[in-house]
């Protein structure tokens, strides 16, 4: 019996340092979220779960409204902290830390969270969803880094390059048999200018 997880990476939001939880979708992000909902119009969805961050929840909000479902927020699915909350670093330093964290799963910048630690908090939620909703379809509002970390647990080919190629938003359909990942299909195709 196949279980489907739809990992929906959040749409565009304007970065504001220190506002990870509360920053919302941009105007373009809301438009993209409407397109995401259109993609799910003919897909049966049984359960909806999200990171507690506003941008992740907002990206799947319209799906929930159209399907008549509640979105359960799950703290364990929050985005991974790359650096401590009171610290800041140039993007090239952060990006290199992300790359290194997939090669060395115990590596983290000061105050940040390693890949291994993020997997240990997020994976029990994923495994519980797979067990409790076997044979159903589940939509998860998520982030690029934690999504990649979850996929990396099931298949180590998902790492830095995958993370770097993901778009905002992005949708991946994960097909499971029990708790074994059988297949990953990318459903989102970004619009081109």
């Amino acid at each position: 019996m196949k279980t489907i997880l739809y990992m929906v990476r959040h749409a565009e939001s304007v970065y504001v340092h220190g506002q990870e939880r509360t920053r919302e979708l941009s105007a373009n992000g809301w438009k993209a979220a409407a397109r995401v909902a259109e993609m799910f119009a003919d897909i049966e969805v049984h359960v909806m779960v999200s990171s507690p961050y506003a941008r992740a929840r907002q990206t799947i909000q319209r799906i929930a409204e159209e399907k008549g479902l509640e979105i359960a927020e799950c703290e364990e699915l929050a985005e991974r902290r790359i650096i401590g909350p009171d610290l800041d670093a140039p993007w090239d330093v952060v990006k290199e830390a992300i790359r290194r964290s997939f090669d060395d799963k115990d590596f983290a910048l000061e105050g940040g969270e390693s890949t291994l630690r993020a997997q240990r908090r997020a994976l029990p939620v994923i495994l519980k969803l797979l067990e409790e909703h076997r044979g159903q379809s589940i939509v998860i509002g998520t982030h690029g880094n934690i999504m990649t970390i979850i996929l990396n647990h099931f298949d180590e080919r998902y790492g830095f390059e995958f993370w770097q190629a993901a778009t905002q938003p992005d949708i991946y359909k994960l097909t499971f048999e029990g708790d074994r990942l059988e297949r990953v299909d990318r459903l989102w195709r970004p619009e081109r200018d």
Side-chain angles (χ1 to χ4, degrees), residues 15 17-18 20 81-90 94 108-112:
Y15 177 76
H17 182 68
E20 279 302 293
R81 283 183 334 277
I82 305 302
I83 193 167
D86 299 327
L87 303 172
D88 201 358
V94 172
L109 291 174
E110 180 183 347

Side-chain angles (χ1 to χ4, degrees), residues 86-115:
D86 299 327
L87 303 172
D88 201 358
W91 176 242
D92 60 330
V93 171
V94 172
K95 189 173 173 182
E96 175 57 22
I98 294 169
R99 186 202 60 74
R100 185 171 168 195
S101 74
F102 284 104
D103 294 333
D104 175 0
K105 292 184 183 179
D106 288 312
F107 171 78
L109 291 174
E110 180 183 347
E113 186 177 30
S114 70
T115 293

Side-chain angles (χ1 to χ4, degrees), residues 20-158:
E20 279 302 293
R21 289 186 165 276
T22 57
R23 64 183 164 105
E24 298 187 350
L25 295 181
S26 66
N28 285 338
W30 281 110
K31 288 177 189 171
R35 287 184 46 232
V36 168
E38 289 170 10
M39 292 184 69
F40 279 89
D42 296 325
I43 296 174
E44 187 174 18
V45 177
H46 302 95
V47 178
M48 297 194 66
V49 179
S50 179
S51 156
Y53 292 9
R55 60 194 184 275
R57 183 182 176 91
Q58 288 172 339
T59 302
I60 64 170
Q61 179 177 312
R62 188 161 162 188
I63 301 168
E65 291 167 358
E66 292 177 1
K67 303 289 185 187
L69 297 170
E70 296 292 323
I71 300 172
E73 289 187 9
C74 189
E75 188 65 36
E76 293 83 359
L77 297 179
E79 180 63 302
R80 173 180 50 167
R81 283 183 334 277
I82 305 302
I83 193 167
D86 299 327
L87 303 172
D88 201 358
W91 176 242
D92 60 330
V93 171
V94 172
K95 189 173 173 182
E96 175 57 22
I98 294 169
R99 186 202 60 74
R100 185 171 168 195
S101 74
F102 284 104
D103 294 333
D104 175 0
K105 292 184 183 179
D106 288 312
F107 171 78
L109 291 174
E110 180 183 347
E113 186 177 30
S114 70
T115 293
L116 191 57
R117 189 168 178 187
Q119 284 177 335
R120 286 181 180 152
R121 75 166 155 87
L123 283 166
V125 173
I126 300 301
L127 295 174
K128 185 176 180 182
L129 287 168
L130 291 172
E131 180 182 329
E132 291 182 355
H133 302 285
R134 194 172 304 271
Q136 295 184 327
S137 295
I138 304 159
V139 170
I140 300 176
T142 190
H143 308 270
N145 210 277
I146 195 69
M147 175 179 72
T148 305
I149 286 168
I150 291 166
L151 281 164
N152 180 267
H153 167 79
F154 294 102
D155 186 339
E156 291 208 344
R157 290 177 296 176
Y158 295 96

Side-chain angles (χ1 to χ4, degrees), residues 7-11 59 142-144 147 163 166-171:
M7 302 285 280
V8 180
R9 184 187 186 192
H10 67 81
T59 302
T142 190
H143 308 270
M147 175 179 72
W163 167 80
T167 59
Q168 291 181 330
D170 218 332
I171 304 170

Side-chain angles (χ1 to χ4, degrees), residues 162-191:
F162 173 82
W163 167 80
Q164 198 169 26
T167 59
Q168 291 181 330
D170 218 332
I171 304 170
Y172 289 88
K173 178 183 178 184
L174 284 59
T175 304
F176 285 86
E177 180 68 49
D179 62 1
R180 184 175 60 82
L181 178 63
E182 287 191 337
R183 180 180 174 129
V184 177
D185 296 292
R186 186 180 192 199
L187 302 185
W188 183 258
R189 293 294 177 257
E191 289 182 340

